[in-house]
Amino acid sequence: MTALLRVESAAKYSVAILLPLALFTATYRLAFHPLRTYPGPFIAKLTDAYGGYQVKRKRLHLQAHSDLSKYGPVYRQGPNRLVFNTVAALRDISRHPSIRKSHVYSFTSFTPTPHVLGTVDPEPHRMKRNVYGRALSGHVYMAWPAIRALNRIVMLFNMPKLLTGARLLKNIIKRRAAMEESSGRHDFWAVASTSHQEHDLTTPNSIEKSHVWAEALFFFPAGGQTTSCALSAAFFYLSRHPFVYARLAAEVRDVFSDGSLIQGGPQLLSCKYLRAVIDETLRMSPPTTVMPWREVDRHLSSKEPCVIDGHVVPGGTLVAISAYCLMHNKAYFPEPFAFRPERWLDDTDPDRLARMAEAFIPFSVGDTMCLGKTMAYMEMSLVLAKTLWYFDFKQAPGEAGKLGGGNPEGWDGALRGRVDEFQLYDAFVGQHNGPNLTFIPRKEL
């Protein structure tokens, strides 16, 4: 009985303390916060849980597009967060000296040594980009940092997949570490291990503390899943647009007299429509849908305000531009949800092409631009060209062929109702389903 009374007493004291604190916080964020005048969903003004919930439902990019359509080119996505959707804002955010990578990126590293994405300090981040540039789900924590308190539970649910991936990577690292240094192989290991003087990686513990391990955990999914996601989207759109498919197939089969000749070089680069198809795919369905949060310096001087597209943004504010939203902004891309590769080849209006080029950011911009951009274009070009040389393909018949598209009758139909849009599920690397296709070897081959 005494213990029960103590519990009840503690509960009363907790309510007496927490309730006024919650009311004070809510009042401040609604009526006195520096961002109080910015429009946005009511719940977003109170808590980061708004964005965290959308990430959990894997649809933050879609909800952000809907919110921007409702509230205008800038809206408040959290108590201390602003999302912009203009090229002017993109320029200001990427170039302003008082805006840096947000501290929330540090939440994406689950290793003692942070990988390049999770490195926030400008100088170490710059060094890692320079090093690894020569060699070539933490997402919810970025949207809702408070949920990191549940990290152990999240890790527990994902443990089987994490252990399988970790074993694979450790075996790869150990095999490469065992090779002679004189082998002369210029690969990721050679650059990363030499840069950080990591040669004694013979035990699991030494591997897990190394820079090579931290970067491998990031680069393996970032380098492979992004390209596979983009290729899946390309096959989806080609199978649903017969005119685009026919024009691309004709280009590839005219440029190359034999499939064995399809390789990197001038001939592949001459396939302009192929590049237009890839660019339109990346515009429609960018493989990375994460919000790239930046943070305005908290010690910003009042004499040197941070101005983003005409808005004076106070220090400590997190700001971002969604690649998906900007590349579906009709101010830069008329008919933004229409798959039209021809838009990239129409040179009758150079100014329009220039505006499109500025708003085209599937590989991000500035200090977080993808290190594998050139490789990604090469991989996609080779796979699409070789496939179209040796095969014809089409959407699978029946219900199976619908996989990958939107469903207006589904539980999320308000945001995923476009049947001709390849559906991405919000993550560091966009997750997806399908498409299901039927491949037929060309008769003359």
Side-chain angles (χ1 to χ4, degrees), residues 46 59 64 80 120 187 206 290 301 348 351 354 376 394 400 433 444:
L46 296 174
R59 63 182 195 184
N80 203 39
V120 175
D187 53 13
S206 63
V290 65
S301 169
T348 57
D351 291 338
K394 60 183 178 181
N433 296 314
E444 57 268 35

Side-chain angles (χ1 to χ4, degrees), residues 11-24:
K12 290 179 181 178
Y13 279 121
S14 297
V15 171
I17 294 173
L18 294 177
L19 185 58
L21 180 61
L23 289 173
F24 172 79

Side-chain angles (χ1 to χ4, degrees), residues 97-299:
S98 297
I99 298 178
R100 56 180 289 177
K101 205 172 182 181
S102 171
H103 71 279
V104 297
Y105 272 93
S106 63
F107 302 156
T108 66
S109 289
F110 296 97
T111 57
T113 302
H115 50 58
V116 65
L117 182 70
T119 302
V120 175
D121 290 340
E123 193 54 38
H125 179 260
R126 190 178 302 112
M127 182 194 72
K128 289 193 175 202
R129 282 185 61 85
N130 289 339
V131 170
Y132 302 134
R134 297 200 306 269
L136 289 171
S137 146
H139 181 20
V140 70
Y141 297 149
M142 294 177 65
W144 189 10
I147 206 171
R148 291 191 80 230
L150 305 177
N151 181 49
R152 292 185 181 275
I153 298 175
V154 174
M155 294 290 282
L156 182 64
F157 277 105
N158 288 280
M159 192 57 68
K161 289 187 288 185
L162 292 172
L163 289 176
T164 301
R167 282 195 296 267
L168 172 64
L169 283 179
K170 285 179 182 177
N171 288 336
I172 292 173
I173 292 172
K174 283 192 288 187
R175 285 199 300 269
R176 180 62 181 89
M179 292 183 182
E180 293 291 335
E181 290 298 327
S182 59
S183 63
R185 295 182 61 174
H186 184 69
D187 53 13
F188 179 81
W189 164 269
V191 175
S193 63
T194 302
S195 173
H196 298 289
Q197 291 80 46
E198 295 174 342
H199 301 288
D200 182 22
L201 301 181
T202 55
T203 67
N205 286 338
S206 63
I207 290 176
E208 291 177 1
K209 294 178 181 178
S210 69
H211 287 271
V212 172
W213 170 251
E215 303 304 344
L217 283 177
F218 169 67
F219 274 111
F220 266 70
Q225 293 179 20
T226 48
T227 305
S228 66
C229 178
L231 282 168
S232 297
F235 281 115
F236 174 90
Y237 290 120
L238 287 170
S239 68
R240 284 157 172 77
H241 295 83
F243 174 80
V244 175
Y245 174 96
R247 181 172 174 180
L248 180 59
E251 179 183 68
V252 170
R253 295 166 188 176
D254 286 344
V255 169
F256 296 98
S257 58
D258 190 277
S260 63
L261 299 176
I262 299 177
Q263 55 187 324
Q267 277 188 292
L268 190 63
L269 292 174
S270 72
C271 296
K272 302 300 183 184
Y273 197 66
L274 173 62
R275 177 59 179 260
V277 167
I278 293 174
D279 283 347
E280 186 69 346
T281 297
L282 293 172
R283 183 194 70 80
M284 287 281 287
S285 302
T288 301
T289 54
V290 65
M291 284 281 187
W293 293 107
R294 297 291 178 270
E295 192 166 351
V296 180
D297 189 350
R298 293 179 180 275
H299 306 292

